[in-house]
CSV table of all heavy atoms in Angstrom, one decimal:
chain,number,residue,atom,x,y,z
A,29,THR,N,-5.9,11.5,22.2
A,29,THR,CA,-6.6,10.2,22.4
A,29,THR,C,-6.1,9.2,21.4
A,29,THR,O,-5.6,9.6,20.3
A,29,THR,CB,-8.1,10.3,22.3
A,29,THR,OG1,-8.5,10.7,21.0
A,29,THR,CG2,-8.6,11.4,23.3
A,30,GLN,N,-6.4,7.9,21.6
A,30,GLN,CA,-6.0,6.9,20.7
A,30,GLN,C,-6.8,7.1,19.4
A,30,GLN,O,-6.2,6.9,18.3
A,30,GLN,CB,-6.2,5.5,21.2
A,30,GLN,CG,-5.8,4.4,20.3
A,30,GLN,CD,-6.1,3.0,20.8
A,30,GLN,OE1,-6.6,2.8,21.9
A,30,GLN,NE2,-5.6,2.0,20.1
A,31,GLU,N,-8.0,7.4,19.5
A,31,GLU,CA,-8.9,7.6,18.3
A,31,GLU,C,-8.3,8.8,17.4
A,31,GLU,O,-8.2,8.7,16.2
A,31,GLU,CB,-10.3,7.9,18.7
A,31,GLU,CG,-11.2,8.0,17.5
A,31,GLU,CD,-12.7,8.1,17.9
A,31,GLU,OE1,-13.1,7.6,18.9
A,31,GLU,OE2,-13.4,8.8,17.1
A,32,SER,N,-8.0,9.9,18.1
A,32,SER,CA,-7.5,11.0,17.3
A,32,SER,C,-6.1,10.7,16.7
A,32,SER,O,-5.8,11.2,15.6
A,32,SER,CB,-7.4,12.3,18.1
A,32,SER,OG,-6.5,12.2,19.2
A,33,GLN,N,-5.3,9.9,17.4
A,33,GLN,CA,-4.0,9.5,16.8
A,33,GLN,C,-4.2,8.6,15.6
A,33,GLN,O,-3.5,8.7,14.6
A,33,GLN,CB,-3.2,8.7,17.8
A,33,GLN,CG,-1.8,8.3,17.3
A,33,GLN,CD,-0.9,9.4,17.0
A,33,GLN,OE1,-0.7,10.3,17.8
A,33,GLN,NE2,-0.4,9.4,15.8
A,34,LEU,N,-5.2,7.7,15.6
A,34,LEU,CA,-5.5,6.9,14.5
A,34,LEU,C,-6.0,7.7,13.3
A,34,LEU,O,-5.6,7.4,12.2
A,34,LEU,CB,-6.6,5.8,14.9
A,34,LEU,CG,-6.1,4.7,15.9
A,34,LEU,CD1,-7.3,3.9,16.3
A,34,LEU,CD2,-5.0,3.9,15.3
A,35,GLU,N,-6.8,8.7,13.6
A,35,GLU,CA,-7.3,9.6,12.5
A,35,GLU,C,-6.1,10.4,11.9
A,35,GLU,O,-6.1,10.6,10.7
A,35,GLU,CB,-8.4,10.5,13.0
A,35,GLU,CG,-9.7,9.8,13.3
A,35,GLU,CD,-10.2,9.0,12.1
A,35,GLU,OE1,-10.2,9.5,11.0
A,35,GLU,OE2,-10.6,7.8,12.3
A,36,GLN,N,-5.2,10.8,12.7
A,36,GLN,CA,-4.1,11.5,12.2
A,36,GLN,C,-3.2,10.6,11.4
A,36,GLN,O,-2.7,11.1,10.3
A,36,GLN,CB,-3.2,12.1,13.4
A,36,GLN,CG,-2.0,12.9,12.9
A,36,GLN,CD,-1.3,13.6,14.1
A,36,GLN,OE1,-1.7,13.5,15.2
A,36,GLN,NE2,-0.1,14.1,13.7
A,37,ASN,N,-3.0,9.4,11.8
A,37,ASN,CA,-2.2,8.4,11.0
A,37,ASN,C,-2.9,8.2,9.6
A,37,ASN,O,-2.2,8.1,8.6
A,37,ASN,CB,-2.1,7.1,11.8
A,37,ASN,CG,-1.2,7.2,13.0
A,37,ASN,OD1,-0.5,8.2,13.1
A,37,ASN,ND2,-1.2,6.2,13.8
A,38,LYS,N,-4.2,8.1,9.6
A,38,LYS,CA,-4.9,7.9,8.3
A,38,LYS,C,-4.7,9.1,7.4
A,38,LYS,O,-4.5,9.0,6.2
A,38,LYS,CB,-6.4,7.6,8.6
A,38,LYS,CG,-6.7,6.3,9.2
A,38,LYS,CD,-8.2,6.2,9.5
A,38,LYS,CE,-8.6,4.9,10.2
A,38,LYS,NZ,-10.0,4.9,10.4
A,39,PHE,N,-4.8,10.3,8.0
A,39,PHE,CA,-4.6,11.5,7.3
A,39,PHE,C,-3.2,11.5,6.6
A,39,PHE,O,-3.1,11.9,5.4
A,39,PHE,CB,-4.8,12.7,8.2
A,39,PHE,CG,-4.5,14.0,7.5
A,39,PHE,CD1,-5.4,14.6,6.7
A,39,PHE,CD2,-3.3,14.6,7.7
A,39,PHE,CE1,-5.1,15.8,6.0
A,39,PHE,CE2,-2.9,15.8,7.1
A,39,PHE,CZ,-3.9,16.4,6.3
A,40,ILE,N,-2.2,11.1,7.4
A,40,ILE,CA,-0.8,11.1,6.8
A,40,ILE,C,-0.7,10.1,5.7
A,40,ILE,O,-0.1,10.5,4.7
A,40,ILE,CB,0.2,10.8,8.0
A,40,ILE,CG1,0.2,12.0,8.9
A,40,ILE,CG2,1.6,10.5,7.4
A,40,ILE,CD1,1.0,11.7,10.2
A,41,VAL,N,-1.3,9.0,5.8
A,41,VAL,CA,-1.3,8.0,4.7
A,41,VAL,C,-2.0,8.5,3.5
A,41,VAL,O,-1.4,8.4,2.4
A,41,VAL,CB,-1.9,6.6,5.2
A,41,VAL,CG1,-2.0,5.7,4.0
A,41,VAL,CG2,-1.0,6.0,6.2
A,42,ARG,N,-3.1,9.1,3.7
A,42,ARG,CA,-3.9,9.7,2.5
A,42,ARG,C,-3.0,10.7,1.8
A,42,ARG,O,-2.9,10.8,0.6
A,42,ARG,CB,-5.2,10.3,3.0
A,42,ARG,CG,-6.3,9.3,3.1
A,42,ARG,CD,-7.6,10.0,3.3
A,42,ARG,NE,-8.6,9.0,3.6
A,42,ARG,CZ,-9.0,8.6,4.9
A,42,ARG,NH1,-8.4,9.2,5.9
A,42,ARG,NH2,-9.9,7.7,5.1
A,43,ARG,N,-2.4,11.6,2.6
A,43,ARG,CA,-1.6,12.7,2.1
A,43,ARG,C,-0.4,12.1,1.3
A,43,ARG,O,-0.1,12.6,0.3
A,43,ARG,CB,-1.2,13.6,3.2
A,43,ARG,CG,-0.5,14.8,2.7
A,43,ARG,CD,-0.4,15.9,3.7
A,43,ARG,NE,0.4,17.0,3.1
A,43,ARG,CZ,1.6,17.4,3.6
A,43,ARG,NH1,2.0,17.0,4.8
A,43,ARG,NH2,2.2,18.3,2.9
A,44,ALA,N,0.2,11.1,1.9
A,44,ALA,CA,1.4,10.5,1.2
A,44,ALA,C,1.0,10.0,-0.2
A,44,ALA,O,1.8,10.2,-1.1
A,44,ALA,CB,1.9,9.4,2.1
A,45,ILE,N,-0.1,9.4,-0.3
A,45,ILE,CA,-0.6,8.8,-1.6
A,45,ILE,C,-1.1,9.9,-2.5
A,45,ILE,O,-0.7,10.1,-3.6
A,45,ILE,CB,-1.6,7.7,-1.4
A,45,ILE,CG1,-1.1,6.6,-0.5
A,45,ILE,CG2,-2.2,7.2,-2.7
A,45,ILE,CD1,0.1,5.9,-1.1
A,46,GLU,N,-2.0,10.7,-2.0
A,46,GLU,CA,-2.7,11.7,-2.8
A,46,GLU,C,-1.8,12.9,-3.2
A,46,GLU,O,-1.9,13.4,-4.3
A,46,GLU,CB,-4.0,12.2,-2.2
A,46,GLU,CG,-5.0,11.1,-2.1
A,46,GLU,CD,-6.2,11.4,-1.2
A,46,GLU,OE1,-6.3,12.5,-0.6
A,46,GLU,OE2,-7.0,10.5,-1.0
A,47,GLU,N,-0.9,13.3,-2.3
A,47,GLU,CA,-0.1,14.5,-2.6
A,47,GLU,C,1.4,14.1,-2.9
A,47,GLU,O,2.1,14.9,-3.6
A,47,GLU,CB,0.0,15.4,-1.4
A,47,GLU,CG,-1.4,16.1,-1.1
A,47,GLU,CD,-1.3,17.0,0.1
A,47,GLU,OE1,-0.2,17.6,0.4
A,47,GLU,OE2,-2.3,17.1,0.8
A,48,GLY,N,1.8,12.9,-2.5
A,48,GLY,CA,3.1,12.5,-2.7
A,48,GLY,C,3.3,11.5,-3.9
A,48,GLY,O,4.0,11.8,-4.8
A,49,TRP,N,2.6,10.4,-3.9
A,49,TRP,CA,2.7,9.4,-4.9
A,49,TRP,C,2.1,9.8,-6.2
A,49,TRP,O,2.7,9.6,-7.3
A,49,TRP,CB,2.0,8.1,-4.5
A,49,TRP,CG,2.8,7.3,-3.5
A,49,TRP,CD1,3.4,7.8,-2.3
A,49,TRP,CD2,3.2,5.9,-3.6
A,49,TRP,NE1,4.0,6.7,-1.7
A,49,TRP,CE2,3.9,5.6,-2.4
A,49,TRP,CE3,2.9,5.0,-4.5
A,49,TRP,CZ2,4.4,4.3,-2.2
A,49,TRP,CZ3,3.4,3.7,-4.3
A,49,TRP,CH2,4.1,3.4,-3.1
A,50,ASN,N,0.8,10.3,-6.2
A,50,ASN,CA,0.1,10.6,-7.5
A,50,ASN,C,0.9,11.6,-8.3
A,50,ASN,O,1.1,11.3,-9.5
A,50,ASN,CB,-1.3,10.9,-7.2
A,50,ASN,CG,-2.2,9.7,-7.0
A,50,ASN,OD1,-1.9,8.7,-7.5
A,50,ASN,ND2,-3.2,9.9,-6.1
A,51,PRO,N,1.3,12.7,-7.8
A,51,PRO,CA,2.1,13.6,-8.7
A,51,PRO,C,3.6,13.3,-8.6
A,51,PRO,O,4.4,14.0,-9.2
A,51,PRO,CB,1.7,14.9,-8.1
A,51,PRO,CG,1.5,14.7,-6.7
A,51,PRO,CD,0.9,13.3,-6.6
A,52,ALA,N,4.0,12.3,-7.8
A,52,ALA,CA,5.5,12.1,-7.5
A,52,ALA,C,6.1,13.4,-7.0
A,52,ALA,O,7.1,13.8,-7.4
A,52,ALA,CB,6.2,11.5,-8.7
A,53,ASN,N,5.4,14.0,-6.0
A,53,ASN,CA,5.9,15.2,-5.4
A,53,ASN,C,6.9,14.9,-4.3
A,53,ASN,O,6.6,14.4,-3.2
A,53,ASN,CB,4.7,15.9,-4.7
A,53,ASN,CG,5.1,17.2,-4.1
A,53,ASN,OD1,6.2,17.5,-3.8
A,53,ASN,ND2,4.1,18.1,-4.0
A,54,LEU,N,8.2,15.0,-4.7
A,54,LEU,CA,9.3,14.6,-3.8
A,54,LEU,C,9.4,15.4,-2.6
A,54,LEU,O,9.9,15.0,-1.5
A,54,LEU,CB,10.6,14.7,-4.6
A,54,LEU,CG,10.7,13.8,-5.9
A,54,LEU,CD1,12.0,13.8,-6.5
A,54,LEU,CD2,10.2,12.3,-5.6
A,55,ALA,N,8.9,16.7,-2.6
A,55,ALA,CA,8.9,17.5,-1.4
A,55,ALA,C,8.0,16.9,-0.3
A,55,ALA,O,8.3,16.9,0.9
A,55,ALA,CB,8.5,18.9,-1.7
A,56,VAL,N,6.8,16.4,-0.7
A,56,VAL,CA,5.9,15.8,0.2
A,56,VAL,C,6.5,14.5,0.8
A,56,VAL,O,6.4,14.2,1.9
A,56,VAL,CB,4.5,15.5,-0.4
A,56,VAL,CG1,3.6,14.7,0.5
A,56,VAL,CG2,3.8,16.9,-0.7
A,57,ILE,N,7.1,13.7,-0.1
A,57,ILE,CA,7.8,12.5,0.3
A,57,ILE,C,8.9,12.8,1.3
A,57,ILE,O,9.0,12.1,2.3
A,57,ILE,CB,8.3,11.7,-1.0
A,57,ILE,CG1,7.0,11.2,-1.7
A,57,ILE,CG2,9.2,10.6,-0.6
A,57,ILE,CD1,7.3,10.6,-3.1
A,58,ASP,N,9.7,13.8,1.0
A,58,ASP,CA,10.7,14.2,2.0
A,58,ASP,C,10.1,14.6,3.3
A,58,ASP,O,10.7,14.3,4.4
A,58,ASP,CB,11.5,15.5,1.5
A,58,ASP,CG,12.6,15.1,0.5
A,58,ASP,OD1,13.1,14.0,0.6
A,58,ASP,OD2,12.9,16.0,-0.3
A,59,GLU,N,9.0,15.2,3.3
A,59,GLU,CA,8.3,15.6,4.6
A,59,GLU,C,7.8,14.5,5.4
A,59,GLU,O,7.9,14.5,6.6
A,59,GLU,CB,7.2,16.6,4.2
A,59,GLU,CG,6.4,17.1,5.4
A,59,GLU,CD,5.2,18.0,5.0
A,59,GLU,OE1,5.2,18.5,3.9
A,59,GLU,OE2,4.3,18.1,5.9
A,60,LEU,N,7.2,13.5,4.7
A,60,LEU,CA,6.5,12.4,5.4
A,60,LEU,C,7.2,11.1,5.7
A,60,LEU,O,6.8,10.4,6.5
A,60,LEU,CB,5.2,12.1,4.6
A,60,LEU,CG,4.2,13.3,4.5
A,60,LEU,CD1,3.0,12.8,3.7
A,60,LEU,CD2,3.7,13.8,5.8
A,61,TYR,N,8.2,10.9,4.9
A,61,TYR,CA,8.9,9.6,5.0
A,61,TYR,C,10.2,9.7,5.8
A,61,TYR,O,10.9,10.7,5.6
A,61,TYR,CB,9.2,9.0,3.6
A,61,TYR,CG,8.0,8.5,2.9
A,61,TYR,CD1,7.1,9.4,2.3
A,61,TYR,CD2,7.7,7.2,2.8
A,61,TYR,CE1,6.0,9.0,1.7
A,61,TYR,CE2,6.5,6.7,2.2
A,61,TYR,CZ,5.7,7.6,1.6
A,61,TYR,OH,4.6,7.2,0.9
A,62,ALA,N,10.6,8.7,6.5
A,62,ALA,CA,11.9,8.6,7.2
A,62,ALA,C,13.0,8.3,6.3
A,62,ALA,O,12.8,7.7,5.2
A,62,ALA,CB,11.8,7.5,8.3
A,63,ALA,N,14.2,8.8,6.7
A,63,ALA,CA,15.4,8.6,5.8
A,63,ALA,C,15.7,7.1,5.6
A,63,ALA,O,16.2,6.7,4.5
A,63,ALA,CB,16.6,9.2,6.5
A,64,ASP,N,15.3,6.2,6.6
A,64,ASP,CA,15.6,4.8,6.4
A,64,ASP,C,14.3,4.0,6.0
A,64,ASP,O,14.2,2.8,6.2
A,64,ASP,CB,16.1,4.2,7.7
A,64,ASP,CG,15.2,4.4,8.9
A,64,ASP,OD1,14.2,5.1,8.8
A,64,ASP,OD2,15.5,3.8,10.0
A,65,PHE,N,13.4,4.7,5.3
A,65,PHE,CA,12.2,4.1,4.8
A,65,PHE,C,12.5,2.9,4.0
A,65,PHE,O,13.4,2.8,3.2
A,65,PHE,CB,11.4,5.2,3.9
A,65,PHE,CG,10.2,4.7,3.2
A,65,PHE,CD1,9.1,4.3,3.9
A,65,PHE,CD2,10.3,4.6,1.8
A,65,PHE,CE1,8.0,3.9,3.2
A,65,PHE,CE2,9.1,4.1,1.1
A,65,PHE,CZ,8.0,3.8,1.8
A,66,LEU,N,11.6,1.8,4.1
A,66,LEU,CA,11.8,0.6,3.4
A,66,LEU,C,10.5,0.3,2.6
A,66,LEU,O,9.4,0.2,3.2
A,66,LEU,CB,12.1,-0.6,4.3
A,66,LEU,CG,12.2,-1.9,3.7
A,66,LEU,CD1,13.3,-2.0,2.7
A,66,LEU,CD2,12.5,-3.0,4.8
A,67,PHE,N,10.5,0.3,1.3
A,67,PHE,CA,9.4,0.0,0.5
A,67,PHE,C,9.4,-1.4,-0.1
A,67,PHE,O,10.4,-1.7,-0.8
A,67,PHE,CB,9.3,1.1,-0.6
A,67,PHE,CG,8.2,0.9,-1.6
A,67,PHE,CD1,6.9,1.0,-1.2
A,67,PHE,CD2,8.5,0.6,-2.9
A,67,PHE,CE1,5.8,0.8,-2.1
A,67,PHE,CE2,7.4,0.4,-3.9
A,67,PHE,CZ,6.1,0.5,-3.5
A,68,HIS,N,8.4,-2.2,0.2
A,68,HIS,CA,8.3,-3.5,-0.4
A,68,HIS,C,7.5,-3.5,-1.6
A,68,HIS,O,6.3,-3.2,-1.6
A,68,HIS,CB,7.7,-4.5,0.7
A,68,HIS,CG,8.5,-4.6,1.9
A,68,HIS,ND1,9.6,-5.5,2.0
A,68,HIS,CD2,8.5,-4.0,3.1
A,68,HIS,CE1,10.1,-5.4,3.2
A,68,HIS,NE2,9.5,-4.5,3.9
A,69,GLN,N,8.1,-3.8,-2.7
A,69,GLN,CA,7.4,-3.9,-4.0
A,69,GLN,C,6.6,-5.2,-4.2
A,69,GLN,O,6.9,-6.2,-3.5
A,69,GLN,CB,8.4,-3.8,-5.2
A,69,GLN,CG,9.2,-2.5,-5.1
A,69,GLN,CD,10.1,-2.5,-6.3
A,69,GLN,OE1,9.7,-2.5,-7.4
A,69,GLN,NE2,11.4,-2.4,-6.0
A,70,GLU,N,5.6,-5.2,-5.1
A,70,GLU,CA,4.8,-6.4,-5.3
A,70,GLU,C,5.7,-7.5,-5.8
A,70,GLU,O,5.4,-8.7,-5.6
A,70,GLU,CB,3.7,-6.1,-6.4
A,70,GLU,CG,2.7,-5.1,-5.9
A,70,GLU,CD,3.0,-3.7,-6.1
A,70,GLU,OE1,4.1,-3.4,-6.6
A,70,GLU,OE2,2.3,-2.8,-5.7
A,71,SER,N,6.8,-7.2,-6.4
A,71,SER,CA,7.7,-8.2,-7.0
A,71,SER,C,8.4,-9.0,-5.9
A,71,SER,O,9.1,-10.0,-6.1
A,71,SER,CB,8.7,-7.6,-7.9
A,71,SER,OG,9.6,-6.7,-7.2
A,72,GLY,N,8.4,-8.4,-4.6
A,72,GLY,CA,9.1,-9.0,-3.5
A,72,GLY,C,10.4,-8.3,-3.3
A,72,GLY,O,11.0,-8.5,-2.2
A,73,GLU,N,10.8,-7.5,-4.2
A,73,GLU,CA,12.1,-6.7,-4.0
A,73,GLU,C,11.8,-5.5,-3.1
A,73,GLU,O,10.6,-5.1,-3.0
A,73,GLU,CB,12.6,-6.2,-5.3
A,73,GLU,CG,13.1,-7.4,-6.2
A,73,GLU,CD,13.6,-6.9,-7.5
A,73,GLU,OE1,14.3,-5.8,-7.5
A,73,GLU,OE2,13.3,-7.5,-8.6
A,74,ALA,N,12.8,-5.0,-2.5
A,74,ALA,CA,12.7,-3.9,-1.6
A,74,ALA,C,13.5,-2.7,-2.0
A,74,ALA,O,14.6,-2.9,-2.6
A,74,ALA,CB,13.1,-4.3,-0.1
C-alpha cells in the first residue's frame, strides 16, 4: 500500500542517518545509496 511504502521510505532514511551517517558506516552507505547519489551541502556545493 502507499502507506506502507511511505513507512518503509521513512525507515530507510532513519537507518541512513542513524546507522550510516552517525558512525560514518560506509557499508550501510554502500547498501542504501545509489552510485550516482548527489548530496547538496549547506554551502550550496554538491
Side-chain angles (χ1 to χ4, degrees):
T29 67
Q30 181 180 5
E31 185 175 327
S32 62
Q33 181 64 51
L34 292 174
E35 290 306 313
Q36 182 177 351
N37 291 346
K38 290 178 185 181
F39 173 80
I40 291 168
V41 169
R42 278 191 188 93
R43 186 164 176 239
I45 300 302
E46 293 169 2
E47 295 178 31
W49 282 53
N50 279 326
N53 184 338
L54 301 184
V56 171
I57 291 170
D58 278 333
E59 178 185 341
L60 297 178
Y61 289 77
D64 60 350
F65 173 69
L66 177 61
F67 175 65
H68 297 276
Q69 299 180 61
E70 293 86 2
S71 66
E73 296 181 38

